[in-house]
Amino acid sequence: MDQLTRPSAPLANRRKRPSFGGSGMAALTELERNPVALVVDDGDGKHNISAERGKAGKVWLTCQCHQSVADGWCRHRLDLLCSRFDAAPEADATTRRAFLQIVTGTPLGEAGLNLDRSLKAFDACLTAFDEGRPTPVVGEDLGKFTDLVSDLAACASELEDALGTMRRLLER
């Protein structure tokens, strides 16, 4: 489809620019609560997480756990972005809904889903590599080994991109 016949993105503002996050993002004025605080318990301790949305779909999602401070992201925030509230048993349905209103359809919400998908794909590639790696590598099985390594490298590259995007969006 060429540019002249392709349907345009929905224009949801007076400047006639495409809106951020598509139709899945609630307007800032429609949010039930902003910010939202949650407490997650990962077995090693409890961690406070807060989510707040600003203009243009910017989301501030903070966690003070060790992994978050060291790596710029953490599983707690990723799980919440993917609607997994198992580690936050104290969060009632209203709090969960308010949190999802803040993140759904935003660039950070989409980055979280992409990172989660990339992590799962990498784990599957790594498992396939470990289970299918021929020994010895040299000889007839060199092609099979090359294919496994290529798949693993492609998954690792995609994971690196997804992690970089997530870290950039989590920066204040």
Side-chain angles (χ1 to χ4, degrees), residues 17-138:
R17 293 182 183 157
S19 59
F20 288 96
S23 60
M25 185 171 74
L28 201 52
T29 57
E30 295 173 351
L31 298 177
E32 290 178 31
R33 292 182 0 212
N34 192 26
V36 172
L38 297 151
V39 177
V40 296
D41 187 353
D42 62 3
D44 292 332
K46 292 186 177 187
H47 308 284
N48 296 318
I49 295 180
S50 67
E52 183 175 2
R53 177 125 64 83
K55 294 179 182 180
K58 173 65 178 162
V59 175
W60 293 275
L61 186 60
T62 61
C63 181
Q64 284 74 36
C65 73
H66 177 70
Q67 182 186 6
S68 181
V69 172
D71 298 333
W73 73 286
C74 65
R75 272 299 224 188
H76 309 122
R77 292 188 281 183
L78 180 61
D79 286 343
L80 293 174
L81 286 171
C82 295
S83 304
R84 294 187 292 259
F85 293 94
D86 297 340
E90 298 172 11
D92 60 6
T94 305
T95 302
R96 292 174 186 198
R97 185 175 53 249
F99 176 84
L100 291 174
Q101 276 187 324
I102 288 174
V103 300
T104 300
T106 64
L108 181 62
E110 298 301 318
L113 295 173
N114 188 41
L115 176 57
D116 190 54
R117 184 193 57 74
S118 297
L119 281 166
K120 288 175 182 174
F122 180 77
D123 285 343
C125 281
L126 190 57
T127 300
F129 179 81
D130 289 340
E131 292 173 355
R133 181 179 43 198
T135 53
V137 174
V138 194

Side-chain angles (χ1 to χ4, degrees), residues 123-165:
D123 285 343
C125 281
L126 190 57
T127 300
F129 179 81
D130 289 340
E131 292 173 355
R133 181 179 43 198
T135 53
V137 174
V138 194
E140 296 176 0
D141 292 329
L142 184 57
K144 181 179 180 181
F145 182 78
T146 302
D147 290 343
L148 289 169
V149 168
S150 294
D151 291 346
L152 188 58
C155 285
S157 178
E158 188 175 314
L159 178 57
E160 182 180 31
D161 291 345
L163 265 172
T165 299

